[in-house]
Amino acid sequence: MAMATRVFLLLLLVLISSPSPSFSLYEDQVGLMDWHQQYIGKVKHAVFHTQKAGRKRVVVSTEENVIASLDLRRGDIFWRHVLGPNDAVDEIDIALGKYVITLSSEGSILRAWNLPDGQMVWESFLQGPKPSKSLLSVSANLKIDKDNVIFVFGKGCLHAVSSIDGEVLWKKDFADESLEVQQIIHPLGSDMIYAVGFVGLSQLDAYQINVRNGEVLKHRSAAFPGGFCGEVSLVSSDTLVALDATRSSLISISFLDGEISLQQTHISNLVGDSFGMAVMLPSKLSGMLMIKIDNYMVFVRVADEGKLEVAEKINDAAAAVSDALALSEGQQAFGLVEHGGNKIHLTVKLVNDWNGDLLKESIRMDHQRGCVHKIFINSYIRTDRSHGFRALIVMEDHSLLLLQQGEIVWSREDGLASIIDVTASELPVEKEGVSVAKVEHNLFEWLKGHMLKLKGTLMLASPEDMIAIQGMRLKSSEKSKMTRDHNGFRKLLIVLTRAGKLFALHTGDGRVVWSVLLHSLHNSEACAYPTGLNVYQWQVPHHHAMDENPSVLVVGRCGLGSDAPGVLSFVDTYTGKELDSLFLTHSIERIIPLSFTDSREQRLHLIIDTDHHAHLYPRTPEAIGIFQHELPNIYWYSVEAENGIIRGHALKSNCILQEGDEYCFDTRDLWSIVFPSESEKILATVTRKLNEVVHTQAKVITDQDVMYKYVSKNLLFVATVAPKATGEIGSVTPEESWLVVYLIDTVTGRIIYRMTHHGTQGPVHAVFSENWVVYHYFNLRAHRYEMSVVEIYDQSRADNKDVWKLVLGKHNLTSPVSSYSRPEVITKSQFYFFTHSVKAMAVTSTAKGITSKQLLIGTIGDQVLALDKRYLDPRRTINPSQSEREEGIIPLTDSLPIIPQSYVTHNLKVEGLRGIVTAPAKLESTTLVFAYGVDLFFTRIAPSRTYDLLTDDFSYALLLITIVALVAAIFVTWILSERKELQEKWR
Amino acid sequence: MLYVMRVESLLGINNQRTMRAFLVFFLFSCLGFALLVPSSLGFQSDELLLDDEEFGLEGGRSSESFRIRSQPSAPQSARRRSSDFGGGGGSDSDSKIQFSLEHAFGDSDFSPAGAFSARLKTSSHGAQTLTKLRFSRNAFTEAEKEKFEKLLQGDDFYRIRLPSNVVSPPGREYIISAVKARCLPREALDEHFFIHMDGVNILAVNYGSPGACQYPRQLKLPGKWSFNSHTILKNTEQAPRAPVFSEEILGGEEGEGEGVKPVERSFWAKYWMYLIPLGLIVMNAVTQALNMPEEQATGQPGSQGPATAAVQRGPPTAVRRR
């Protein structure tokens, strides 16, 4: 009989844990629990294409290296290309009315994209001797043999490129003259171009070049003894204005007919005395330039013969000005946006007539968007034949808005393309009395819905009904409710973006619940160049869940260096209100969330500054009380990647230097690991997630044997690589490249595991969970990527197998574990080939840690692949025994399988994938997965199937009806049988 | 000055030098050593002497020509060794090195605490490795004893450090390790060095008690103020390489191509679905058969007599036939 049960169990196991993916979807399930949002990032350049086009569009390039064509009417993306992370777009333009020309990678790659569908038409690699400024000049009216020529200055060379096929027509090398070309000027209707630039700091050179063959016709140079600071503005086809080295005077340069004449004007003569530094703002207005001085923005008009005069002075340094836009009859207009209160004022003016406003509008603007960073304007012909203007504006939070007729036509939250950190937060608990009323209100709808569902189940539904059912499922109010659900699927994702804006996204449908531009991370005098770093859970109320709101801690830095002072900000996650913000006096090197909370359930955080002082937050006496108690047991480590040193530290006592600051602690070095600088360089360090739950330490293996996982929170995985091999894959031979991986106990500095992989190279991506590490690297000998797994088992507890020992209490399972004890561990490892290169790696996490784990691998194709941990089991053998098979061990293969259905992202792409975040749902079987990059993708997955949940489309109505029908049938048959019995008796 | 050294290198060279009282004990306790040196006690001591001789020579020479760290312990121990075994003639003198161990009590400064000495082996392709590591520990002075007791009282850290490069100490930086002082005292002070090497560089040293350190740590003073030092040198392990593995896999795949061999299953596992019904039928038949005679017994008592008689009659006939 025992054998039968075993066989039965085996069958069950095979059924449940068949290696085939358990999370593929049916067509009608798409969008039920996942959402996908596409973004482009902060717009750098925009080119409108509205003339003679059926679909009005704007082509933009962004700081996330995206080129996109947007629908001007609705803001949707027509097409989009994400260039690589090292391929930043320098400039874009439109050529021949049908190609989008992009110059990228510091002026070395020129590409043409077909405007309607975004197909790449041609691509040219422009070579040059040295890096330099890059310029792109596409002139619409310059024709050479029916070909429009594109002039590109990049890498010290001027290239003329045919816009039809991208062929380089000629090339002029300016590197020998060490000329840094500032402007390429093409006077209307002529056959020559001017290249004007600086040689050194004080000499200005102008070259007149034949368009057809690149021959230099004239070369003039003029020296300016005061020197230039490098900022220059083109005001007309033969006049430039530059700022001198002291930033106190403007020099207007005219190079008419190749003769250069300079004229110097002091800024103080123009604007009166001022103390600030003048900065020339890049502009393309004819006859006008802009300088910023103090808090003013000054428009300077260039009159005849290089005379300068102030046209206007605006007391708003944050105002944004667009480039000039050519209107009919040779007039040029430009847009100007000023801020006033919670409104922005958009003005469109003619360049040569300051007072003639073509348009003046005031638009109410959400102050969470900050101020306007950029404006691009475009004109159209109104129904009354006059000029109308629309403006595309880029806000401080990186969002993109289209303004027309005094309204916001559409807006895009493109700040979400540059997420820095994510944390999940709970929704409010459902208050009593709310839901009942809602149900009664919608009773009819509810009935109707269930009728439809019933029809669907009984296959009676017409196609229209099916569509209605699908629609109902997709926007079921259940999913996007603003309250906590029983299964824990509904949560808020708190997302920090590079713009310093915090968003709360609802996991149900991905909508933005609230967003706040953090006051503390706002560029101000108190804090220049603020950068956001991380988001942490600050307060998660359990005991007071009904009346206290959870909050998050946003950590930032004022300045670019790591020694810049820090900023803390506390934000309520229900309302999005910034509760408090602190400008710290010390820097932030590392933030350690401690495992203690105070009576208000605020988590204690330790912030380590660059001088290795520890600062405790929150700064309350209660917190210090809790902390003092645990002081001797707090250790941490620091990684000095450049020096190749890892150090361990412990806390000592209150700071000596800062007398009276009882929240500051001195630290001391306990241990150090010094990697030899000639043979190893730290490439990656990974630790376990702090909030990871491990269900059991024991792992039952074949033949009812038990192994104990070595579960320590203090393990650090370090990968080092030969210093030569830090470059790209293939830059070294296998002989001179190796990878060493370590597992280090961060309390004692003990190296628990050390292994050298010869002939391998980074980049290394690793994930650490429970007692195992999986890491990914490149094998130069096999020319393939490889993934390795290391599992650590605790031998000191291995004797606890005897039941009698357990019964009699003679076991050491409950004894405290000390890091100072010598660990008796054994490690098992195994290597597998893996096809893809990896962008990010994560592991699923569930509420209790019972469900088996899956690795989530962000592939080079910007998709997320779920790979069962069972494939990465070091105990896999070629021919597993019967009992090992029962345990679920898969026969050994040399490479890891990639099953197309196991892509979590289905057929979608998370462009520019940078990170994958997992959060446990309340339901044990399910993990919430959020992948971010330029795009966002959210779904929930069940690594071992949803064994604890009925599916969404389970028809409760059908079940009810069946029960009712059965009960009715029982009654009917009962009555019938009664009657029959009676008849029998009468017979 | 009492010191005990036990040095095990992973290269398989085990050396022991101890006082005679400890020698037998170690012979029995170090199973690995005993296995490696299967011959008699006499042979073992011979080998030890040889090693020590070399070493002693080395120490003697180093005092003249070599860079020796100016610390009290090293010359002392070297002198002792040379006096013990006499300066024999050695040739490979440039392969000996010494580096010092320093210790600190709590946050105090580091001071010398002992010296390691080892052979530097240079392989044909230039890689250098350390072998035959020995360690001589200085005994605590009275002042140090006091300091250590203070550490024990305060449950504070006892820290040690080593140079990160043994050829040109201290190398780039010192390697520090620390342990709570209360972990060390047992009978004597038991310490355990686990030195991770990479050529001539020391990567890390794990310092602590050889066994467990119970938590919470109890205050316990050592019975003897001497050190029992154990040292292990460890170089990196090489990851096993794939080619062999992949060949095996190819073989495995070919095997699969021939058809997956059915796993050898027991008779019961194969035919249980037939056997169970069969068993049920048999059981059914048996019970019926059991019931039948009862019924017969109750229904037709008369017929039983002849039947038994017939049965009884059977065997005799058989016997007769034989």
Side-chain angles (χ1 to χ4, degrees):
Chain A
M1 205 54 209
M3 190 59 90
T5 39
R6 261 176 100 179
V7 173
F8 176 71
L9 273 175
L10 179 66
L11 279 174
L12 208 71
L13 256 170
V14 167
L15 274 178
I16 291 173
S17 60
S18 53
S20 61
S22 50
F23 36 77
S24 46
L25 286 182
Y26 291 105
E27 193 184 351
D28 63 336
Q29 286 176 316
V30 171
L32 268 186
M33 50 193 187
D34 55 345
W35 46 264
H36 179 231
Q37 294 175 354
Q38 295 187 314
Y39 293 102
I40 53 174
K42 186 186 183 185
V43 170
K44 279 200 290 195
H45 309 280
V47 186
F48 291 89
H49 186 253
T50 50
Q51 262 87 43
K52 294 178 249 163
R55 301 207 285 189
K56 310 256 181 246
R57 67 183 81 214
V58 57
V59 180
V60 295
S61 74
T62 72
E63 288 181 355
E64 301 295 323
N65 304 346
V66 176
I67 307 157
S69 167
L70 303 178
D71 185 350
L72 258 189
R73 300 232 188 278
R74 295 196 313 277
D76 297 341
I77 297 169
F78 280 139
W79 53 261
R80 180 179 62 153
H81 292 288
V82 182
L83 307 182
N86 304 320
D87 197 9
V89 182
D90 301 315
E91 287 197 53
I92 62 168
D93 211 332
I94 290 179
L96 296 174
K98 60 180 179 181
Y99 293 161
V100 180
I101 307 290
T102 63
L103 181 67
S104 58
S105 287
E106 292 165 337
S108 60
I109 303 176
L110 191 68
R111 294 189 182 96
W113 314 85
N114 193 15
L115 193 50
D117 56 4
Q119 301 280 349
M120 194 199 283
V121 183
W122 51 258
E123 182 177 38
S124 285
F125 293 93
L126 308 175
Q127 309 293 335
K130 59 164 193 173
S132 73
K133 197 173 162 176
S134 53
L135 294 168
L136 174 71
S137 163
V138 179
S139 56
N141 44 20
L142 177 67
K143 290 244 192 298
I144 302 169
D145 308 332
K146 296 177 189 168
D147 187 2
N148 269 26
V149 181
I150 301 162
F151 295 103
V152 178
F153 178 74
K155 303 257 177 202
C157 287
L158 182 67
H159 305 262
V161 183
S162 158
S163 60
I164 290 171
D165 54 4
E167 193 191 340
V168 178
L169 299 174
W170 52 262
K171 177 177 162 186
K172 173 83 184 88
D173 193 344
F174 285 115
D176 298 337
E177 291 93 341
S178 65
L179 176 75
E180 186 80 356
V181 172
Q182 298 293 327
Q183 296 284 345
I184 300 166
I185 303 143
H186 176 238
L188 266 179
S190 77
D191 245 7
M192 56 195 93
I193 55 165
Y194 290 97
V196 185
F198 298 118
V199 177
L201 283 173
S202 58
Q203 193 188 331
L204 184 104
D205 278 37
Y207 288 84
Q208 195 181 32
I209 296 166
N210 189 333
V211 178
R212 288 176 194 283
N213 50 18
E215 193 187 329
V216 176
L217 300 173
K218 271 182 197 167
H219 170 216
R220 295 285 178 274
S221 70
F224 178 70
F228 300 101
C229 75
E231 289 171 9
V232 68
S233 181
L234 179 72
V235 290
S236 70
S237 62
D238 56 2
T239 314
L240 282 172
V241 178
L243 202 59
D244 78 340
T246 57
R247 290 178 185 269
S248 62
S249 55
L250 292 168
I251 302 119
S252 60
I253 305 148
S254 83
F255 44 90
L256 198 64
D257 300 327
E259 300 301 324
I260 300 179
S261 63
L262 306 175
Q263 196 168 352
Q264 189 175 3
T265 315
H266 281 279
I267 291 175
S268 53
N269 292 349
L270 291 171
V271 294
D273 287 333
S274 62
F275 305 101
M277 295 282 273
V279 177
M280 190 177 274
L281 298 171
S283 67
K284 283 181 187 164
L285 305 177
S286 71
M288 188 114 73
L289 67 127
M290 296 180 296
I291 52 173
K292 197 169 110 177
I293 188 160
D294 292 342
N295 257 336
Y296 291 95
M297 195 175 224
V298 184
F299 290 81
V300 180
R301 187 185 304 283
V302 184
D304 297 337
E305 289 152 20
K307 265 201 192 114
L308 303 178
E309 57 191 43
V310 173
E312 181 69 52
K313 203 169 152 186
I314 301 169
N315 187 8
D316 182 1
V321 181
S322 77
D323 290 346
L325 173 77
L327 297 176
S328 54
E329 65 268 357
Q331 280 187 314
Q332 284 192 319
F334 70 96
L336 167 71
V337 180
E338 294 164 85
H339 304 89
N342 54 2
K343 285 190 170 182
I344 59 165
H345 307 289
L346 170 69
T347 348
V348 178
K349 293 170 190 287
L350 285 172
V351 171
N352 28 11
D353 180 13
W354 186 266
N355 296 320
D357 290 347
L358 292 172
L359 183 79
K360 206 167 169 69
E361 285 167 354
S362 289
I363 297 128
R364 181 173 290 278
M365 188 60 69
D366 182 4
H367 68 275
Q368 298 298 0
R369 291 194 187 280
C371 49
V372 179
H373 270 188
K374 279 201 165 79
I375 170 170
F376 306 94
I377 61 161
N378 175 237
S379 69
Y380 60 94
I381 309 291
R382 289 208 189 106
T383 44
D384 60 353
R385 303 257 160 210
S386 63
H387 280 294
F389 293 93
R390 53 171 86 92
L392 195 66
I393 57 171
V394 182
M395 305 298 293
E396 194 182 356
D397 68 341
H398 299 184
S399 60
L400 185 69
L401 294 91
L402 185 79
L403 309 179
Q404 191 176 329
Q405 295 155 17
E407 275 179 57
I408 299 170
V409 183
W410 50 259
S411 64
R412 293 180 57 87
E413 290 288 357
D414 277 307
L416 286 171
S418 51
I419 290 175
I420 295 172
D421 200 12
V422 184
T423 185
S425 169
E426 294 289 345
L427 279 161
V429 180
E430 195 155 358
K431 298 270 197 306
E432 275 178 50
V434 179
S435 55
V436 180
K438 218 174 175 182
V439 168
E440 279 174 3
H441 183 71
N442 292 328
L443 193 62
F444 179 68
E445 297 251 314
W446 184 82
L447 269 179
K448 208 170 94 183
H450 272 287
M451 279 308 291
L452 269 176
K453 269 193 190 170
L454 186 65
K455 267 168 123 181
T457 343
L458 300 176
M459 295 185 197
L460 295 170
S462 61
E464 295 92 72
D465 287 347
M466 290 303 283
I467 291 165
I469 293 167
Q470 186 67 9
M472 237 165 44
R473 274 166 153 195
L474 285 183
K475 57 174 193 246
S476 74
S477 57
E478 269 295 300
K479 165 176 116 161
S480 53
K481 251 191 196 169
M482 274 303 295
T483 52
R484 232 175 262 193
D485 64 333
H486 184 69
N487 294 330
F489 293 161
R490 289 201 297 264
K491 281 191 179 187
L492 285 178
L493 292 170
I494 312 293
V495 157
L496 176 67
T497 66
R498 201 172 296 151
K501 196 172 186 180
L502 207 61
F503 289 88
L505 304 177
H506 196 287
T507 56
D509 50 4
R511 69 176 190 278
V512 175
V513 176
W514 51 259
S515 62
V516 55
L517 190 68
L518 292 175
H519 173 70
S520 50
L521 289 177
H522 192 77
N523 202 345
S524 63
E525 296 205 351
C527 181
Y529 302 111
T531 44
L533 291 178
N534 289 103
V535 187
Y536 295 92
Q537 304 260 10
W538 177 252
Q539 189 183 10
V540 185
H542 294 289
H543 305 306
H544 311 284
M546 295 302 273
D547 42 47
E548 276 206 53
N549 294 359
S551 54
V552 289
L553 166 69
V554 182
V555 182
R557 202 180 266 162
C558 283
L560 302 170
S562 65
D563 53 348
V567 192
L568 301 184
S569 186
F570 306 91
V571 181
D572 186 324
T573 60
Y574 288 176
T575 60
K577 241 184 225 138
E578 194 170 357
L579 301 170
D580 194 10
S581 64
L582 290 173
F583 287 92
L584 308 181
T585 50
H586 55 84
S587 57
I588 296 177
E589 185 164 284
R590 199 180 143 87
I591 302 123
I592 305 170
L594 301 172
S595 51
F596 322 113
T597 52
D598 66 6
S599 60
R600 287 186 58 211
E601 294 178 81
Q602 291 181 340
R603 186 159 296 279
L604 269 58
H605 284 68
L606 205 59
I607 295 180
I608 314 294
D609 64 14
T610 40
D611 303 325
H612 289 315
H613 291 298
H615 304 265
L616 179 71
Y617 292 88
R619 295 169 91 89
T620 56
E622 190 198 350
I624 207 92
I626 300 166
F627 186 71
Q628 285 285 8
H629 190 65
E630 297 291 340
L631 191 69
N633 291 331
I634 292 169
Y635 300 85
W636 84 93
Y637 67 94
S638 59
V639 179
E640 295 166 27
E642 308 83 50
N643 300 337
I645 299 176
I646 301 177
R647 291 178 204 279
H649 312 270
L651 294 176
K652 199 157 64 176
S653 55
N654 277 62
C655 289
I656 301 161
L657 290 174
Q658 280 129 313
E659 203 66 45
D661 184 0
E662 54 176 334
Y663 302 103
C664 169
F665 295 89
D666 271 337
T667 62
R668 61 166 146 210
D669 289 5
L670 281 191
W671 53 264
S672 61
I673 293 173
V674 181
F675 297 107
S677 54
E678 67 274 12
S679 63
E680 289 180 44
K681 190 170 175 8
I682 298 175
L683 208 62
T685 55
V686 177
T687 52
R688 276 179 63 193
K689 260 211 260 179
L690 281 172
N691 55 359
E692 192 186 49
V693 186
V694 179
H695 177 245
T696 171
Q697 203 197 348
K699 181 174 179 177
V700 181
I701 56 166
T702 320
D703 301 329
Q704 279 78 47
D705 208 348
V706 182
M707 288 178 92
Y708 289 89
K709 299 173 189 167
Y710 184 73
V711 182
S712 167
K713 292 245 171 199
N714 303 318
L715 282 186
L716 172 73
F717 169 83
V718 181
T720 65
V721 73
K724 269 188 186 172
T726 45
E728 301 241 319
I729 288 168
S731 56
V732 282
T733 59
E735 284 72 35
E736 54 189 14
S737 172
W738 56 84
L739 198 77
V740 193
V741 296
Y742 299 86
L743 284 174
I744 296 167
D745 185 313
T746 55
V747 173
T748 58
R750 200 185 291 276
I751 296 181
I752 286 172
Y753 175 80
R754 180 176 170 203
M755 178 73 85
T756 309
H757 299 269
H758 278 284
T760 57
Q761 200 181 1
V764 174
H765 293 273
V767 63
F768 199 152
S769 170
E770 293 195 352
N771 66 328
W772 52 264
V773 192
V774 170
Y775 51 99
H776 177 270
Y777 52 91
F778 190 78
N779 187 331
L780 289 165
R781 288 217 171 86
H783 310 290
R784 279 199 269 187
Y785 283 100
E786 230 175 51
M787 259 170 131
S788 278
V789 60
V790 180
E791 291 191 358
I792 324 158
Y793 291 97
D794 193 350
Q795 284 297 96
S796 63
R797 309 202 162 199
D799 307 331
N800 302 312
K801 285 171 191 164
D802 196 344
V803 178
W804 284 110
K805 268 191 182 173
L806 293 177
V807 170
L808 297 172
K810 282 188 178 173
H811 60 84
N812 60 353
L813 289 179
T814 49
S815 64
V817 181
S818 170
S819 282
Y820 288 108
S821 300
R822 212 169 123 211
E824 300 167 41
V825 295
I826 50 165
T827 50
K828 289 171 180 281
S829 59
Q830 186 68 272
F831 318 91
Y832 301 97
F833 290 123
F834 187 66
T835 313
H836 288 299
S837 59
V838 165
K839 281 188 166 180
M841 235 183 354
V843 65
T844 57
S845 56
T846 53
K848 302 272 190 298
I850 301 168
T851 311
S852 64
K853 303 254 175 193
Q854 273 183 341
L855 286 172
L856 299 171
I857 298 164
T859 65
I860 194 72
D862 293 321
Q863 296 206 307
V864 179
L865 179 76
L867 186 70
D868 254 26
K869 170 66 180 54
R870 291 188 299 128
Y871 287 111
L872 282 155
D873 191 332
R875 293 172 52 238
R876 280 174 71 180
T877 50
I878 292 174
N879 282 316
S881 66
Q882 181 67 21
S883 47
E884 280 176 333
R885 265 176 214 268
E886 270 177 48
E887 194 197 322
I889 287 183
I890 304 161
L892 185 64
T893 50
D894 64 342
S895 58
L896 296 170
I898 293 171
I899 304 153
Q901 292 98 312
S902 61
Y903 280 104
V904 172
T905 42
H906 319 307
N907 59 348
L908 303 168
K909 276 175 97 178
V910 188
E911 293 280 7
L913 182 68
R914 280 200 311 272
I916 303 166
V917 177
T918 59
K922 231 185 256 170
L923 203 66
E924 170 53 33
S925 67
T926 312
T927 305
L928 309 178
V929 177
F930 180 59
Y932 61 89
V934 174
D935 291 355
L936 310 181
F937 179 81
F938 173 87
T939 190
R940 54 172 200 257
I941 59 171
S944 308
R945 297 195 188 189
T946 48
Y947 53 81
D948 48 4
L949 181 72
L950 290 171
T951 50
D952 254 4
D953 51 354
F954 182 81
S955 178
Y956 292 93
L958 187 66
L959 181 70
L960 260 175
I961 288 166
T962 318
I963 291 168
V964 168
L966 278 174
V967 170
I970 287 167
F971 271 99
V972 167
T973 45
W974 180 62
I975 290 163
L976 282 178
S977 72
E978 284 282 294
R979 196 176 289 166
K980 200 178 174 194
E981 219 169 280
L982 196 65
Q983 278 172 354
E984 291 262 319
K985 282 184 181 162
W986 275 108
R987 191 171 287 167
Chain B
M1 186 177 85
L2 174 102
Y3 63 91
V4 177
M5 296 187 308
R6 178 178 154 212
V7 180
E8 300 170 11
S9 140
L10 282 203
L11 295 166
I13 298 152
N14 290 12
N15 289 310
Q16 297 181 2
R17 186 176 181 282
T18 167
M19 299 186 71
R20 180 163 284 187
F22 278 95
L23 192 66
V24 181
F25 169 73
F26 269 124
L27 268 174
F28 285 104
S29 63
C30 281
L31 190 66
F33 186 88
L35 285 172
L36 275 171
V37 186
S39 54
S40 70
L41 186 92
F43 174 70
Q44 190 199 357
S45 67
D46 199 320
E47 191 182 317
L48 272 173
L49 281 172
L50 188 73
D51 276 345
D52 274 318
E53 194 174 69
E54 271 182 25
F55 186 76
L57 158 100
E58 179 46 41
R61 282 200 57 140
S62 71
S63 58
E64 308 157 14
S65 62
F66 259 129
R67 147 183 10 99
I68 190 151
R69 302 191 51 75
S70 59
Q71 49 166 297
S73 77
Q76 196 184 355
S77 57
R79 206 186 314 127
R80 215 194 106 172
R81 263 181 233 112
S82 49
S83 67
D84 275 353
F85 306 105
S91 56
D92 202 16
S93 58
D94 59 343
S95 65
K96 297 282 181 184
I97 47 161
Q98 266 190 321
F99 51 97
S100 72
L101 170 83
E102 295 177 302
H103 64 177
F105 303 89
D107 294 319
S108 76
D109 288 334
F110 283 95
S111 57
F116 286 94
S117 42
R119 277 189 71 133
L120 186 65
K121 215 163 83 179
T122 309
S123 67
S124 54
H125 51 274
Q128 290 175 308
T129 45
L130 279 192
T131 57
K132 300 189 182 175
L133 185 75
R134 288 132 192 280
F135 176 51
S136 72
R137 182 70 140 119
N138 301 358
F140 273 157
T141 61
E142 281 305 315
E144 285 172 337
K145 234 182 245 181
E146 253 172 53
K147 279 187 195 165
F148 195 82
E149 264 174 54
K150 212 186 267 173
L151 288 189
L152 291 177
Q153 303 285 351
D155 192 18
D156 210 342
F157 290 102
Y158 176 66
R159 299 195 290 163
I160 57 136
R161 74 177 185 187
L162 286 173
S164 66
N165 189 312
V166 293
V167 177
S168 57
R172 213 146 56 89
E173 182 113 9
Y174 281 103
I175 311 286
I176 307 171
S177 190
V179 72
K180 286 273 185 185
R182 286 186 184 181
C183 288
L184 294 179
R186 253 147 248 250
E187 278 305 299
L189 293 165
D190 285 1
E191 60 179 1
H192 188 278
F193 294 88
F194 203 110
I195 304 176
H196 292 265
M197 302 286 303
D198 180 47
V200 293
N201 293 301
I202 297 179
L203 245 80
V205 54
N206 304 149
Y207 178 70
S209 61
C213 180
Q214 292 294 327
Y215 186 87
R217 292 176 284 271
Q218 304 297 331
L219 173 61
K220 181 189 166 199
L221 290 176
K224 270 186 282 180
W225 283 93
S226 60
F227 275 99
N228 278 330
S229 306
H230 307 264
T231 312
I232 293 181
L233 262 191
K234 183 150 181 173
N235 278 302
T236 181
E237 280 173 46
Q238 307 291 326
R241 230 9 292 141
V244 186
F245 167 64
S246 56
E247 276 164 28
E248 279 173 30
I249 287 304
L250 283 175
E253 272 172 0
E254 277 164 27
E256 273 184 359
E258 288 162 15
V260 183
K261 275 183 208 158
V263 183
E264 207 51 53
R265 285 187 297 178
S266 67
F267 177 78
W268 176 242
K270 266 189 220 165
Y271 301 112
W272 65 276
M273 64 285 276
Y274 307 112
L275 290 176
I276 288 175
L278 198 76
L280 287 174
I281 290 164
V282 169
M283 273 167 69
N284 205 14
V286 167
T287 41
Q288 273 186 353
L290 282 177
N291 286 346
M292 203 85 85
E294 275 175 38
E295 275 172 33
Q296 280 170 349
T298 48
Q300 298 157 314
S303 67
Q304 205 179 0
T308 45
V311 169
Q312 279 171 349
R313 221 177 289 142
T317 53
V319 169
R320 226 173 289 147
R321 221 179 271 164
R322 250 182 236 168

